[in-house]
Amino acid sequence: MKPSRSAGRPLSSARAVAAGLWLFAAAGALAIVIAVIIGADPAADDFWPGIIVFASIAIDALTCTTVGALIVMRRPDNVVGWLLAALGVGLVLTFAGFGIGGVRTSLAGRDDLLAGLAAWTGVVAFNPTIALVGLVMLFFPDGHLPSPRWLGPIGAIVVMVLAATSVVAITPQAFDPTLPFNPFGIDHPVVRTLAPIAIAAASLGALGSIVLGAVAVGSRFVKARGDRREQMKWFLGAVAIVALTIVPSTVGTATGTTASGEQQFGLFDVVGSGGLALVPIAIGVAILRYRLYDIDRLISRTVGWALSTVVLLAVFGLAIVAIQALLARVTQGQTVAVAASTLVAAALFQPVRRRVQGAVDRRFDRARYDGAKVIEGFSERLRDELELGTLSDDIVRVATDAVRPASVTIWLRPGLGVQEEHR
């Protein structure tokens, strides 16, 4: 049976739009990298980290659009694909706008029209892009809200963000000393009065969207069973990995001294910005091929290594303080303390990793952990068991407990006096 023209046209149109969004995101990602390279100061301490951070953001934008386009092409009825593609475009508009606006301002001044248009695009796209993150979380993975009652709150947030952004778009003053003046600004007392309220409302609405999305994800995961639970594990695993890098980056930024001209970008910024691409990748795998990998084992290994690293870093730091205090009268500096602490951390690595990984497996990979314990117990009994009938019963019991098959068949080579047995 041939598909009708009416059925084929929406799919073709969806693919054309998805391809157009991807091309736009690819061009915008390239513009971000070029603008940062031109505008960055090679003499700055964070020159290369800054380049890598913004290049990673460009990759994040392109990854979101690519995964969204793939979902749209295969499942155009799933809203998550469209939202992901829009999120990638929003990232491009935001950071390419800020990058181009900053470069043009440094070259031509704050009155330059092109600089103003670029910066205006970045400012206007900023909060709606953040709100899109919450919308992706709300509609993941089936493209529908958890229930109709969610429509009211998210609708109010969307209206709030759009209305506030429309006021921000005509605010006359510049949003940052390094950015140009708003070319669409309206110098009116009412606009100046509403501007700070609109800026706060847009940010609050964007944050509210993410909070609602997080609540929706938690609610879905608690209620999920079967395939849906596997899909949610992919998403939660990626979010957990990103959180392990974003939190240190945020803390470093909050405690840094960017105003004094010191280094603004560090290792955690680089890793965190690059790790953001894991979220759209996990969404794509969850929707298109969620059975591709063993996500339980992936999560348990990631969490296990992360916790082991935290424990060893804590031991390393405490050991440095303790050893330095003990040897302060004998030696100057902390070279000996660092060397001794490194040896202590190296000696504790394997024991700590085994204990932490065992505890994590019991929580995140329970089925595999229980199966491994059953097989380990059977291996110990196998050394002392000689009676073939008892051994076959033990094999059936172990197989049933470890992998829970629908049926078990034991076949022994003819001549041993035992028949093939089905259970």
Side-chain angles (χ1 to χ4, degrees):
M1 181 178 179
K2 296 182 179 180
S4 63
R5 292 185 177 179
S6 60
R9 285 177 180 174
L11 182 59
S12 299
S13 300
R15 290 177 175 175
V17 173
L21 292 175
W22 186 90
L23 290 174
F24 179 84
L30 181 61
I32 292 175
V33 175
I34 294 175
V36 171
I37 292 175
I38 295 175
D41 182 10
D45 294 336
D46 59 351
F47 173 73
W48 283 112
I51 295 292
I52 296 174
V53 166
F54 281 94
S56 299
I57 291 174
I59 294 174
D60 296 337
L62 190 57
T63 303
C64 287
T65 311
T66 301
V67 175
L70 289 175
I71 296 174
V72 167
M73 290 179 178
R74 294 186 60 179
R75 300 186 181 181
D77 57 331
N78 194 324
V79 180
V80 176
W82 294 104
L83 291 174
L84 269 179
L87 176 59
V89 171
L91 289 172
V92 163
L93 291 174
T94 300
F95 289 95
F98 287 142
I100 295 174
V103 170
R104 287 292 305 178
T105 301
S106 63
L107 295 176
R110 301 183 69 185
D111 294 325
D112 182 69
L113 179 59
L114 179 58
L117 291 174
W120 179 86
T121 302
V123 170
V124 170
F126 179 72
N127 283 304
T129 300
I130 295 177
L132 281 172
V133 176
L135 291 178
V136 170
M137 298 167 69
L138 271 165
F139 285 92
F140 176 79
D142 57 3
H144 298 90
L145 292 173
S147 67
R149 65 176 177 226
W150 289 79
L151 187 59
I154 195 60
I157 285 179
V158 170
V159 171
M160 178 179 177
V161 171
L162 294 179
T165 301
S166 64
V167 177
V168 172
I170 59 175
T171 299
Q173 68 266 24
F175 299 95
D176 189 89
T178 61
L179 293 179
F181 297 105
N182 185 359
F184 301 107
I186 299 177
D187 193 3
H188 191 276
V190 175
V191 177
R192 288 190 174 275
T193 302
L194 293 178
I197 301 174
I199 294 173
S203 301
L204 184 62
L207 179 61
S209 174
I210 294 179
V211 171
L212 275 181
V215 173
V217 169
S219 175
R220 287 183 192 270
F221 182 74
V222 170
K223 299 177 182 178
R225 296 294 183 272
D227 293 346
R228 180 59 54 80
R229 193 172 185 85
E230 296 299 317
Q231 291 178 312
M232 299 304 298
K233 285 178 180 178
W234 272 101
F235 182 75
L236 292 176
V239 171
I241 295 173
V242 172
L244 289 173
T245 57
I246 290 296
V247 171
S249 174
T250 304
V251 172
T253 302
T255 58
T257 54
T258 58
S260 62
E262 297 182 8
Q263 183 170 343
Q264 301 181 29
F265 298 105
L267 176 62
F268 286 116
D269 298 296
V270 173
V271 176
S273 58
L276 287 174
L278 293 175
V279 175
I281 292 174
I283 291 174
V285 173
I287 293 177
L288 300 176
R289 294 288 300 278
Y290 59 88
R291 290 186 182 275
L292 190 59
Y293 301 106
D294 188 352
I295 187 62
D296 287 326
R297 190 166 183 81
L298 181 63
I299 293 176
S300 68
R301 288 297 178 267
T302 301
V303 175
W305 278 96
L307 291 178
S308 300
T309 302
V310 171
V311 171
L312 291 174
L313 286 176
V315 171
F316 182 76
L318 292 175
I320 288 178
V321 175
I323 295 174
Q324 189 175 4
L326 291 174
L327 300 179
R329 297 180 180 179
V330 180
T331 181
Q332 298 295 328
Q334 58 179 4
T335 303
V336 176
V338 172
S341 301
T342 303
L343 293 176
V344 171
L348 293 176
F349 175 74
Q350 285 298 340
V352 169
R353 193 191 68 82
R354 282 196 297 267
R355 288 181 176 273
V356 171
Q357 193 62 61
V360 172
D361 285 344
R362 287 194 295 271
R363 176 63 182 87
F364 291 96
D365 201 6
R366 188 72 194 189
R368 186 183 295 272
Y369 177 82
D370 292 340
K373 286 296 183 182
V374 170
I375 294 174
E376 181 182 348
F378 173 72
S379 300
E380 295 178 356
R381 295 192 303 271
L382 184 62
R383 291 195 295 265
D384 302 325
E385 185 60 60
L386 299 177
E387 206 280 320
L388 200 56
T390 304
L391 185 60
S392 64
D393 292 339
D394 208 4
I395 291 174
V396 171
R397 184 172 60 256
V398 169
T400 302
D401 292 341
V403 297
R404 302 188 182 279
S407 62
V408 179
T409 300
I410 299 177
W411 180 88
L412 297 176
R413 190 177 61 187
L416 296 179
V418 180
Q419 302 293 328
E420 183 177 320
E421 184 176 358
H422 298 270
R423 302 191 182 188

